[in-house]
Amino acid sequence: MGKGKWARRSAAALAAGMLAGTSGAQAQAPMQGGGGPTPAEAMAGAAGDYRLGPDDQLEVTIYGQPDMPLRLRIKQDGSVSLPLMGSVTAAGETPVGLAEKIRAGLVQGGYLRDPRVNVEVTSYVSRSVTLLGAVVRPGIYPLQGAQPLSRVLATAGGQREGSETVLLRRGDAAPQRFPIEALARGGAGDPVLQPGDLLFVPAAEHFYIYGQVRAPGSFPIRGGMTFRQALSQGGGPNDAGTQNRIRLTRRGQQSEIADLDAPIEDGDVMFVRERLF
């Protein structure tokens, strides 16, 4: 029986800055690759938990056979084309399950006596979410089962310092904003993600404080922060400074802060003057 044509891997267009991980599963022999986990591997945990779907890209290795590995894409009907075996249903299988199905088919067809088969997911497309913005490891993360937003964020290493919210865009609907602090409480504050969701963590807003303060510099703005709280972030006025007549530069315009309990805004620059006597 002649061999069929190898299926060619389709190009995956990933946005700049995204990281695509891999996760492998082997039937019969527990072989694993070295190195630390990529974002996708960390999210998938055990590779066998991920359910394959259309457009997922696979690498199938039958150890000891020439022309390996095979680089395949799951078709829209859920199948992949393999030499000797022809069309094999892959959608709905885990990588472990598909590897075992291929191994069993090769044995039952009399092609190989005791093959060792490994199936590795090289691109998660059918069941994944995209996480961008101010997180430690932005990227594409596969979903296994009902995954809450908090788990994906934790797998990405968490938000960067000062970031307080996550934006969730689902389809054409307007983005939803979720405070990161609320994710720990669960429930509606920690939504279950769906394939195709786009998550974005905005960078923290910052203010700047200079002049006669103990700790001049740039600081993140916490929710509802006032000028008085911002002044304390800078350590307060030093021995030569005063909290009266603090100069404010906002969007290129200068003024004096009349109410220290008014809210501070992103990009505000506070200048603490020297006391007159």
Side-chain angles (χ1 to χ4, degrees), residues 136-163:
V136 176
R137 292 185 297 275
I140 299 175
Y141 288 82
L143 295 178
Q144 48 176 7
Q147 294 287 346
L149 191 159
S150 60
R151 182 169 179 183
V152 174
L153 183 62
T155 303
Q159 78 275 23
R160 296 193 179 277
E161 181 181 3
S163 299

Side-chain angles (χ1 to χ4, degrees), residues 52-56 58 73-81 87-93 98 101:
L52 301 170
D55 291 325
D56 283 344
L58 310 175
R73 179 181 62 84
I74 300 178
K75 301 175 183 178
Q76 288 301 309
D77 63 3
S79 69
V80 292
S81 297
S87 181
V88 175
T89 299
E93 297 282 355
L98 180 59
K101 176 185 281 190

Side-chain angles (χ1 to χ4, degrees), residues 5-276:
K5 294 183 178 179
W6 306 114
R8 298 183 181 273
R9 182 172 62 179
S10 62
L14 301 179
M18 295 181 183
L19 304 176
T22 60
S23 181
Q26 179 177 320
Q28 187 174 358
M31 298 185 63
Q32 298 179 353
T38 62
E41 288 172 328
M43 186 63 193
D49 292 338
Y50 180 78
R51 296 286 172 175
L52 301 170
D55 291 325
D56 283 344
Q57 297 183 41
L58 310 175
E59 190 170 271
V60 179
T61 302
I62 305 173
Y63 293 97
Q65 300 303 305
D67 301 324
M68 293 296 171
L70 306 175
R71 293 175 174 83
L72 310 173
R73 179 181 62 84
I74 300 178
K75 301 175 183 178
Q76 288 301 309
D77 63 3
S79 69
V80 292
S81 297
L82 293 167
L84 306 178
M85 295 178 61
S87 181
V88 175
T89 299
E93 297 282 355
T94 64
V96 171
L98 180 59
E100 177 57 32
K101 176 185 281 190
I102 295 171
R103 190 196 70 83
L106 291 171
V107 172
Q108 293 171 5
Y111 306 117
L112 297 171
R113 290 182 57 187
D114 190 18
R116 297 166 58 195
V117 181
N118 183 74
V119 174
E120 182 174 291
V121 183
T122 59
S123 180
Y124 296 90
V125 177
S126 65
R127 292 188 53 81
S128 63
V129 297
T130 301
L131 175 59
L132 300 173
V135 293
V136 176
R137 292 185 297 275
I140 299 175
Y141 288 82
L143 295 178
Q144 48 176 7
Q147 294 287 346
L149 191 159
S150 60
R151 182 169 179 183
V152 174
L153 183 62
T155 303
Q159 78 275 23
R160 296 193 179 277
E161 181 181 3
S163 299
E164 296 185 335
T165 59
V166 182
L167 300 179
L168 167 61
R169 179 181 291 277
R170 180 169 293 163
D172 296 328
Q176 297 175 273
R177 182 180 296 269
F178 293 91
I180 292 176
E181 183 180 353
L183 299 182
R185 296 195 289 267
D190 189 12
V192 175
L193 298 177
Q194 298 179 8
D197 282 351
L198 175 62
L199 307 171
F200 180 75
V201 178
E205 297 181 338
H206 284 77
F207 71 93
Y208 306 85
I209 185 166
Y210 297 104
Q212 300 300 324
V213 290
R214 301 185 186 278
S218 171
F219 300 90
I221 297 177
R222 308 297 181 185
M225 180 176 283
T226 64
F227 288 113
R228 191 182 305 278
Q229 293 169 326
L231 182 62
S232 68
Q233 286 287 300
N238 59 25
D239 293 340
T242 175
Q243 67 179 24
N244 298 323
R245 297 176 57 246
I246 296 176
R247 188 173 69 201
L248 170 66
T249 303
R250 174 178 289 174
R251 292 186 287 275
Q253 302 296 317
Q254 290 189 354
S255 63
E256 289 187 358
I257 298 175
D259 181 6
L260 287 177
D261 293 317
I264 194 165
E265 297 182 7
D266 184 31
D268 280 355
V269 180
M270 300 171 61
F271 182 82
V272 178
R273 303 175 190 268
E274 186 176 359
R275 67 173 66 246
L276 298 178

